[in-house]
Amino acid sequence: MFIATNRLFVPAERAEEFEAHFRDNMRTYLPGVPGLLRSTLLKPTREDQPYVSINEFESEEDFRAWVASDSFREAHQRNRGIARHVTGNAVETFEHAEDLVLPRQRTA
């Protein structure tokens, strides 16, 4: 598995519009991307934290093919609407090292 993250710093007063635009882009451009297993947008719990976009791919090759695709270019060209909300960002990539998935624990 290959994982790409993007930390997106968004002022609190622009958060709602940012989320709506980002969510729409995810739902419009990501379904059907070859090798894409999951896409997640994490919302910060404090104003000094960034949003984090996480895209999990079957392989780095699938990720690179997506970045080189017309769909990626179209989505990111449309992202100019999102860009006005972002005051900084940082893209990071990772290879999968380990997962621990636990069964849901009953609390009563």
Side-chain angles (χ1 to χ4, degrees), residues 28-99:
T28 300
Y29 294 101
L30 296 181
V33 169
L36 181 62
L37 302 171
R38 182 177 181 161
S39 184
T40 304
L41 179 63
L42 302 178
K43 181 177 181 172
T45 57
R46 295 189 333 241
E47 287 188 19
D48 63 333
Q49 294 176 316
Y51 282 85
V52 179
S53 169
I54 304 169
N55 291 299
E56 299 174 15
F57 287 86
E58 289 180 12
S59 68
E60 183 174 358
E61 292 76 23
D62 288 325
F63 168 72
R64 301 279 174 218
W66 174 62
V67 170
S69 74
D70 290 339
S71 177
F72 179 89
R73 281 189 290 283
E74 187 177 331
H76 285 77
Q77 200 166 30
R78 186 170 181 243
N79 278 354
R80 291 183 181 152
I82 291 175
R84 73 176 185 272
H85 303 298
V86 177
T87 59
N89 77 304
V91 175
E92 301 166 316
T93 58
F94 304 89
E95 291 182 359
H96 183 264
E98 182 65 34
D99 261 339

Side-chain angles (χ1 to χ4, degrees), residues 102-108:
L102 301 171
R104 188 170 223 158
Q105 306 269 337
R106 290 185 166 218
T107 57

